[in-house]
Amino acid sequence: MKQKYIRKVKNALPRKLRAEVLRDLEEIFASAAEHGETEEQVIERLGCPCNFVKEAALQLGVDLEKRKARRFAAAGITAVIVAVIFGISYLRLRMLQSEAASIGIIGGADGPTAILIAGPIINLTGILLAITIIAVIIALLFLSKLLKKKK
Amino acid sequence: MDSKVIQQFKKGSLEMILLSIIGRGETYGYEIITELNRSAAVLGYAKEGTVYPILYRLEAAELISCRIAPAAANGGSKKYYSLTEKGRQALSELSLFWADYCACVNEYLKAYEEEAK
């Protein structure tokens, strides 16, 4: 009960407020227990974790929305970067593969060796492609959310 | 008797009440809550969820200061609050304003009551 509450507050709190607020919560629970109160009673008085954090941030002039927006932007940018890096790697590998394939055709004797190498390369391209597609989808999701917010 | 207006009054005056309680001498969270609950009939039961955020602001504004001391009784530590010089000044300003404010509001109420007679 108490641990769950504290954990929820911790996750919602901006980092710079964490140490102090978490210490205070420990004291609040400990003092109440000392006076024979249950954790439920304390939580009832504290209100829901998100409200507690919101109220504390409001009083301290800490902008939770801004923090959320910053995190949101960071996640979106990460998705775009991942999409670009993996996309480029995927295309490069495909190019190398088709080069290898054409070499393979010219030098007919290399055939079996080429197939042996191709095995793991195909797997790798598959993985690269999958990661690229996922990252692009995530990036698009962020973009659409961002556009919705702007409206 | 728990309309929006009344809640706003309570919220607005809680800061002054907290400064007054802390101004009487060093005290800690649970003691403040207990002290507030003596006026529960008027103020309603005090909640940590309302009190602590205000304490954070008072501390950030340097109106109160705190020190943390180990507490054997609760197995952890306790934060003791005390009024700073700045806090004392703020409280005396608030208290002057409050007196003016009450007088002012009372005058309107009185004028209304006399008119209604």
Side-chain angles (χ1 to χ4, degrees):
Chain A
M1 237 2 228
K2 167 190 153 192
Q3 291 311 329
K4 198 173 152 201
Y5 188 92
I6 290 182
R7 199 175 57 240
K8 277 189 182 163
V9 170
K10 184 180 171 189
N11 290 337
L13 267 182
R15 194 149 306 182
K16 61 176 172 179
L17 302 181
R18 244 177 231 176
E20 182 176 14
V21 174
L22 294 184
R23 195 221 64 89
D24 289 342
L25 281 176
E26 290 287 351
E27 182 191 324
I28 290 169
F29 279 105
S31 290
E34 185 193 333
H35 291 86
E37 288 185 278
T38 63
E39 292 181 355
E40 283 81 1
Q41 279 174 297
V42 181
I43 288 170
E44 158 86 32
R45 288 205 306 265
L46 283 168
C48 95
C50 57
N51 271 344
F52 182 76
V53 170
K54 232 183 252 171
E55 194 64 29
L58 182 77
Q59 294 291 344
L60 282 167
V62 174
D63 195 344
L64 287 177
E65 285 306 311
K66 221 176 176 175
R67 175 170 174 265
K68 234 192 235 165
R70 255 206 317 268
R71 285 191 160 187
F72 190 81
I77 290 169
T78 310
V80 170
I81 291 172
V82 169
V84 168
I85 290 175
F86 280 86
I88 289 174
S89 318
Y90 169 71
L91 291 176
R92 283 286 299 162
L93 207 62
R94 280 296 296 265
M95 266 165 63
L96 286 175
Q97 258 182 316
S98 60
E99 271 169 32
S102 56
I103 290 166
I105 290 163
I106 295 165
D110 288 335
T113 343
I115 290 163
L116 278 178
I117 295 168
I121 287 179
I122 286 167
N123 265 341
L124 192 58
T125 50
I127 291 167
L128 283 179
L129 186 62
I131 293 176
T132 308
I133 290 171
I134 291 168
V136 166
I137 290 171
I138 293 173
L140 286 177
L141 278 177
F142 271 101
L143 199 69
S144 70
K145 259 196 178 175
L146 204 68
L147 288 176
K148 239 184 247 168
K149 253 190 210 168
K150 284 253 167 81
K151 265 175 201 170
Chain B
M1 259 283 278
D2 215 34
S3 69
K4 193 109 187 162
V5 184
I6 288 175
Q7 274 183 0
Q8 298 278 3
F9 277 137
K10 286 181 190 167
K11 211 171 179 181
S13 53
L14 186 55
E15 179 169 329
M16 214 169 2
I17 296 173
L18 285 175
L19 286 173
S20 305
I21 293 176
I22 296 168
R24 289 194 329 234
E26 207 181 43
T27 180
Y28 58 91
Y30 201 82
E31 205 172 60
I32 295 175
I33 298 285
T34 314
E35 174 65 28
L36 282 173
N37 277 338
R38 294 201 311 132
S39 329
V42 182
L43 296 176
Y45 279 100
K47 289 181 171 166
E48 280 94 339
T50 1
V51 171
Y52 271 83
I54 295 179
L55 289 175
Y56 290 141
R57 184 160 54 82
L58 294 177
E59 193 193 339
E62 294 174 347
L63 299 183
I64 59 176
S65 62
C66 50
R67 69 179 178 92
I68 291 169
N74 71 10
S77 57
K78 266 182 191 158
K79 192 187 259 181
Y80 290 89
Y81 300 93
S82 52
L83 214 55
T84 62
E85 200 37 56
K86 200 175 162 191
R88 228 162 262 291
Q89 217 169 338
L91 181 57
S92 67
E93 277 167 27
L94 272 173
S95 126
L96 283 177
F97 170 78
W98 183 255
D100 287 347
Y101 183 75
C102 286
C104 175
V105 174
N106 283 341
E107 216 153 291
Y108 280 103
L109 289 174
K110 211 173 115 195
Y112 163 77
E113 272 161 25
E114 270 170 17
E115 198 74 23
K117 265 177 202 168

